[in-house]
Amino acid sequence: MSSPTGVLGDLHRVLLSTEEIHARVSAMAGQIEKDYAGRLITVVALMDGALFFVADLLRQIDLPIRLVTLGASSYHGGTHSSGEVRLNWPSGVSFQEQHVLLLDDILDTGLTLAALHERLRQEAPASLRTGVLLRKNRPRAQECPVDYCGFEIGDEFVVGYGMDYQGRFRNLPCIGILRP
Ligand code: 5GP
Ligand code: MG
């Protein structure tokens, strides 16, 4: 059983409230809708972290969307990137001539997004852009080009709104920092 106060009780502090997240995600949806007007978007969403972000974002975009989910992991359960990105590439999906928008929850070392970007580039899409809800303030994350970024945050391990620690806390409606 979790603590009597529920999942929020395990947080050291809230970094982004539910309201702040929703307002920013709505603004991002508006920008994407404007940029892709008249087009079909092929969204490639990285699971499981981007699940809630992508669900909230895509439901506010009034354009035709094809959704492809893809498993990628580099943390393998801890709070630091292992440096090795494992991809579950979908079979039988073509990205050729598609307007591909790659979405992830958070940009940390940038390894995951860079690996995916490179892999998708080889599929000859008509266009390829990237979007993340959060980007950490650390050199490698800052170097990685992103077209849509929700929030810039400090170099801290965050949980909630899809992001986990050892499989837990994804269902937190806000984003927070765990107790040490
Ligand atoms: P990167 O490859 O940029 O180092 O890491 C990206 C992936 O690592 C993200 O898709 C996310 O799943 C995970 N990740 C990076 N930073 C955090 C964090 O602060 N909290 C959680 N829960 N996951 C993170
Ligand atoms: Mg992830």
Side-chain angles (χ1 to χ4, degrees), residues 46-50 70-75 103-106 112 162-164 170:
L46 295 192
M47 292 295 116
D48 300 314
L70 207 141
S73 62
S74 65
Y75 271 56
L103 295 176
D104 201 4
D105 49 2
I106 183 165
T112 308
M163 291 169 283
D164 75 313
R170 290 196 198 275

Side-chain angles (χ1 to χ4, degrees), residues 33-100:
E33 192 178 287
K34 226 171 92 189
D35 294 351
Y36 285 88
R39 295 191 174 145
L40 163 76
I41 315 174
T42 295
V43 167
V44 176
L46 295 192
M47 292 295 116
D48 300 314
L51 179 66
F52 294 75
F53 167 48
V54 167
D56 285 344
L57 182 81
L58 300 193
R59 283 181 295 172
Q60 296 182 70
I61 300 174
D62 188 17
L63 289 174
I65 289 176
R66 191 172 73 128
L67 175 63
V68 179
T69 58
L70 207 141
S73 62
S74 65
Y75 271 56
H76 316 313
T79 61
H80 289 94
S81 176
S82 68
E84 171 218 3
V85 183
R86 290 186 205 147
L87 299 181
N88 273 333
W89 196 252
S91 57
V93 183
S94 172
F95 299 99
Q96 205 175 347
E97 295 303 309
Q98 305 286 313
H99 293 286
V100 177

